[in-house]
Amino acid sequence: MYIKNQQTELFKEHKIESYFSKIRESIFKKIEKYNNTYILNVDINKEIEKILYKYDLVTLKVPTLNKETVLSSITEHKISGHRFPKNIKADPNKEYKIEQVNHLVSFIGNEEFFNYSPTSNNPKTVKACIHNSKLEFTLSNWNKIRDNEETIEKLKKEFSNNLDLIETNLSALKKDVNIFKNNLKTEINKFFTEKKNLITKENKTLEKLKPS
């Protein structure tokens, strides 16, 4: 259960396909402006690597969680009864003291990926805050946590499940990124090959059209 309003649902805002489409569109808009001389003389494989590097696709890193350095704390708060979940009885005009556990999990990689859902069917969302290369999870039973073994086990399991869901989504996104990069290499190769062939044929035709 979550308390902080600033927490957002990860893997929900956009579909990863939209991210890839923007990159692909930007790349092809650029290379379609290459002049004929450059296209005829370019080393296609080197040009592909140059393009991938320029658009940061070589180092495009889906985040990896560092679960070995989780920082946790318990804090106490006064919460108005109107903020309680519907399944918990509370007077909306009364304030209650509750405890919440806060987990900070660091990660390495591009945090932008937390905004995208993978192409896999029905990706699960997870609520958390993102700041300074860390995910912050805020969990509570809307009561006391300290010395409450049942609640401790429940919140521990909830946190563990959240991490599992995040890693499942990140793993799926890594597969999506690898597929995208491989497909993009093929598309760029095809573009240059077809363009080279077209320019060569055109030049040969123009040469033949010249009067002897």
Side-chain angles (χ1 to χ4, degrees), residues 36-47:
N36 289 357
T37 302
Y38 186 86
I39 292 174
L40 283 175
N41 293 287
V42 72
D43 181 311
I44 295 177
N45 290 327
K46 288 183 178 179
E47 186 65 18

Side-chain angles (χ1 to χ4, degrees), residues 7-131:
Q7 290 192 128
T8 58
E9 288 190 78
L10 309 181
F11 311 109
K12 184 179 181 181
E13 192 171 347
H14 307 287
K15 291 186 177 297
I16 192 63
E17 292 93 331
S18 64
Y19 181 67
F20 294 153
S21 294
K22 289 178 184 177
I23 295 175
R24 183 184 289 106
E25 182 180 352
S26 178
I27 288 174
F28 277 93
K29 274 187 178 179
K30 181 72 175 179
I31 64 178
E32 282 171 359
K33 294 179 181 179
Y34 288 5
N35 64 51
N36 289 357
T37 302
Y38 186 86
I39 292 174
L40 283 175
N41 293 287
V42 72
D43 181 311
I44 295 177
N45 290 327
K46 288 183 178 179
E47 186 65 18
I48 289 173
E49 293 306 313
K50 179 180 174 182
I51 290 170
L52 294 181
Y53 182 81
K54 181 178 180 180
Y55 285 85
D56 202 27
L57 299 184
V58 173
T59 58
L60 191 63
K61 290 186 178 180
V62 175
T64 299
L65 300 184
N66 186 355
K67 296 191 294 184
E68 303 302 316
T69 59
V70 176
L71 297 177
S72 302
S73 63
I74 294 176
T75 52
E76 190 175 273
H77 301 268
K78 285 184 177 180
I79 303 292
S80 174
H82 78 272
R83 294 183 60 191
F84 276 56
K86 292 181 180 179
N87 63 328
I88 297 179
K89 291 183 179 180
D91 185 339
N93 300 312
K94 185 178 177 181
E95 278 195 337
Y96 297 85
K97 281 186 178 181
I98 69 166
E99 293 178 344
Q100 65 184 36
V101 58
N102 312 289
H103 297 292
L104 283 176
V105 183
S106 62
F107 63 85
I108 298 173
N110 185 351
E111 70 176 46
E112 189 175 0
F113 279 102
F114 288 114
N115 297 321
Y116 294 92
S117 61
T119 57
S120 56
N121 294 330
N122 301 319
K124 302 294 184 180
T125 62
V126 178
K127 286 186 178 180
C129 293
I130 307 174
H131 52 81

Side-chain angles (χ1 to χ4, degrees), residues 52-209:
L52 294 181
Y53 182 81
K54 181 178 180 180
Y55 285 85
D56 202 27
L57 299 184
V58 173
T59 58
L60 191 63
K61 290 186 178 180
V62 175
T64 299
L65 300 184
N66 186 355
K67 296 191 294 184
E68 303 302 316
T69 59
V70 176
L71 297 177
S72 302
S73 63
I74 294 176
T75 52
E76 190 175 273
H77 301 268
K78 285 184 177 180
I79 303 292
S80 174
H82 78 272
R83 294 183 60 191
F84 276 56
K86 292 181 180 179
N87 63 328
I88 297 179
K89 291 183 179 180
D91 185 339
N93 300 312
K94 185 178 177 181
E95 278 195 337
Y96 297 85
K97 281 186 178 181
I98 69 166
E99 293 178 344
Q100 65 184 36
V101 58
N102 312 289
H103 297 292
L104 283 176
V105 183
S106 62
F107 63 85
I108 298 173
N110 185 351
E111 70 176 46
E112 189 175 0
F113 279 102
F114 288 114
N115 297 321
Y116 294 92
S117 61
T119 57
S120 56
N121 294 330
N122 301 319
K124 302 294 184 180
T125 62
V126 178
K127 286 186 178 180
C129 293
I130 307 174
H131 52 81
N132 298 326
S133 297
K134 290 182 177 67
L135 294 177
E136 181 179 8
F137 301 85
T138 303
L139 308 172
S140 178
N141 68 336
W142 301 87
N143 206 318
K144 297 294 181 180
I145 297 174
R146 294 179 177 93
D147 296 325
N148 188 333
E149 292 301 323
E150 183 179 350
T151 293
I152 290 171
E153 285 303 313
K154 182 179 179 181
L155 296 181
K156 179 181 177 181
K157 183 177 181 181
E158 186 175 351
F159 178 51
S160 179
N161 288 342
N162 284 343
L163 294 182
D164 288 344
L165 286 173
I166 288 174
E167 290 194 315
T168 297
N169 284 333
L170 292 178
S171 178
L173 285 170
K174 287 177 183 178
K175 290 180 181 178
D176 290 337
V177 167
N178 288 333
I179 291 172
F180 168 69
K181 288 198 287 190
N182 288 332
N183 288 344
L184 185 61
K185 287 180 181 180
T186 301
E187 290 176 36
I188 296 174
N189 190 303
K190 182 180 179 183
F191 171 85
F192 278 110
T193 300
E194 290 181 348
K195 198 76 172 176
K196 274 190 172 187
N197 290 338
L198 182 63
I199 294 169
T200 300
K201 288 179 182 179
E202 183 176 314
N203 286 346
K204 287 182 179 179
T205 301
L206 290 173
E207 189 64 30
K208 290 179 180 179
L209 287 170

